[in-house]
Amino acid sequence: MVEVAVAMTVLALGVVAVISVMGSAFNVSITNSARSKAVALATKELETIRAVPYASITAGPASTSRDEVSGGRTYRIERAVTWVTQGTNAVAYKQGTVDVSWSDHAGSHDVHQTTYYYPGGLGPASTPTTTAPCAGTPSAPASLTAAAVVLPDSGGVDLAWTKGSGTQPVLLWVVQASTNNFLNSQIITDTQPGSATNLQAEALAANTTYQFRVAAIGMCQAVSPWSPVATVTTSPAAAIACQMGTPNVTPAKIKLSSNGATAGLSAAPTITVSTTGTCTTVRATYKKKAGAADSTATLIASSGGSWSATLSTAGPWDVGVHSVDIFDGANVKQGTVLLTVCSKNAPSC
């Protein structure tokens, strides 16, 4: 029995060791399979760029990223195309770079691939025979100025700057704005042509202090240092003029309360009108009787830009159609609504 127990113990130890080795081998196999898929994705991404005509490949400092699921695993693919120089004449070529990253039981992994895109017609890639006009980095822009302008519903700033003192040509300008000294920033534009050295920044917060800076992008995407920072406080948003919709009267037809010469209305008609913009006063003007002085009702604002008021029912009112004119706070007529007054015994009113 003792011998059997010892034999079983030795066998169990061997089985445990074999299982451990098999588990490690299985994990290595999974990692290698994922790495092979990542390499295939990176190669596919670079070849996708290569399939595009050279002139259509956009090179710049920005990169793009996306997720792709393969074999039940999510891979993060980041790619960028930048300008690099190569050869004794420092000719600029486009270089594609792809990073594929993923995570599994063993942690985070990454595959990195880089390739050159050769335009052709320039001789061997290692010894190009022509020099691109974009070597070098542009100088930082100078004399950046910022002036607040009044825009409806938002703040605006007119920006102007001058090209730096260097001789390198400028392809594009990048303009950034910030409200916290560039701890965070927003891009106003990165497509401003190099020939245009002024810009109006719009859709900014009104009555807010902003910092602005400008950088130049050279012909081969080399980015200059930033310009000196310009600081400005945007103006309060311009008030939008009062605009009114079509007024309504309810009811549109009302009978007199009696048949006498001093008869009033049997019900109070309500005038309503919807507005947009900044409206301070809305009033309705009407005549109860031909030749009588104007009567006025001041409309009261409610939520949603709606204004309303009831007209006086006191007599005397004439039978017939009465025009009710609507005026804004600047005494400008904005619309007219018609109220029909019928006799007390009118059957169809």
Side-chain angles (χ1 to χ4, degrees):
M1 293 296 292
V2 172
E3 290 177 349
V4 171
V6 171
M8 293 295 291
T9 301
V10 172
L11 179 62
L13 291 174
V15 170
V16 169
V18 170
I19 291 175
S20 176
V21 171
M22 291 179 62
S24 297
F26 182 69
N27 289 336
V28 170
S29 176
I30 292 175
T31 301
N32 288 339
S33 175
R35 185 174 298 278
S36 296
K37 290 178 181 178
V39 171
L41 289 172
T43 302
K44 174 185 174 183
E45 197 73 15
L46 291 175
E47 293 305 313
T48 298
I49 303 173
R50 195 184 301 279
V52 177
Y54 184 82
S56 300
I57 300 175
T58 302
S63 62
T64 61
S65 60
R66 61 184 177 86
D67 292 333
E68 183 166 327
V69 178
S70 179
R73 193 181 306 280
T74 300
Y75 296 85
R76 184 69 171 178
I77 302 173
E78 298 185 19
R79 83 177 192 184
V81 178
T82 56
W83 287 98
V84 295
T85 56
Q86 189 183 61
T88 57
N89 292 328
V91 172
Y93 290 94
K94 296 174 184 177
Q95 176 182 273
T97 302
V98 173
D99 283 290
V100 180
S101 57
W102 74 98
S103 298
D104 56 21
H105 65 282
S108 300
H109 309 277
D110 179 81
V111 167
H112 179 88
Q113 287 191 11
T114 299
T115 189
Y116 293 105
Y117 299 113
Y118 179 57
L122 301 179
S126 59
T127 56
T129 58
T130 58
T131 301
C134 51
T137 300
S139 301
S143 305
L144 175 62
T145 61
V149 294
V150 178
L151 298 176
D153 284 343
S154 68
V157 173
D158 281 340
L159 300 169
W161 61 93
T162 59
K163 183 179 177 297
S165 58
T167 59
Q168 293 83 0
V170 175
L171 177 65
L172 299 170
W173 300 104
V174 179
V175 180
Q176 281 190 348
S178 176
T179 57
N180 55 10
N181 294 312
F182 295 99
L183 293 176
N184 304 101
S185 62
Q186 67 181 93
I187 294 178
I188 301 300
T189 181
D190 56 3
T191 59
Q192 177 90 347
S195 59
T197 57
N198 56 74
L199 173 73
Q200 184 174 90
E202 302 177 348
L204 303 174
N207 201 27
T208 301
T209 300
Y210 280 88
Q211 300 85 38
F212 293 91
R213 63 186 182 183
V214 180
I217 300 178
M219 300 303 290
C220 287
Q221 306 298 319
V223 181
S224 76
W226 290 108
S227 69
V229 174
T231 302
V232 65
T233 299
T234 55
S235 302
I240 299 177
C242 178
Q243 300 290 329
M244 296 188 189
T246 302
N248 294 291
V249 59
T250 305
K253 295 182 178 181
I254 298 179
K255 291 183 178 181
L256 292 175
S257 59
S258 66
N259 290 327
T262 60
L265 301 181
S266 59
T270 299
I271 300 293
T272 58
V273 63
S274 295
T275 66
T276 57
T278 304
C279 301
T280 57
T281 303
V282 180
R283 61 185 179 86
T285 299
Y286 57 99
K287 291 183 182 296
K288 299 180 181 181
K289 191 177 182 68
D294 286 342
S295 297
T296 300
T298 300
L299 280 66
I300 305 301
S302 59
S303 60
S306 179
W307 297 68
S308 63
T310 56
L311 305 187
S312 172
T313 60
W317 276 85
D318 275 344
V319 172
V321 178
H322 297 256
S323 296
V324 182
D325 297 325
I326 309 300
F327 292 85
D328 62 17
N331 203 34
V332 176
K333 182 178 175 180
Q334 296 285 351
T336 298
V337 65
L338 300 179
L339 170 66
T340 300
V341 177
C342 310
S343 64
K344 177 177 175 59
N345 300 322
S348 60
C349 188

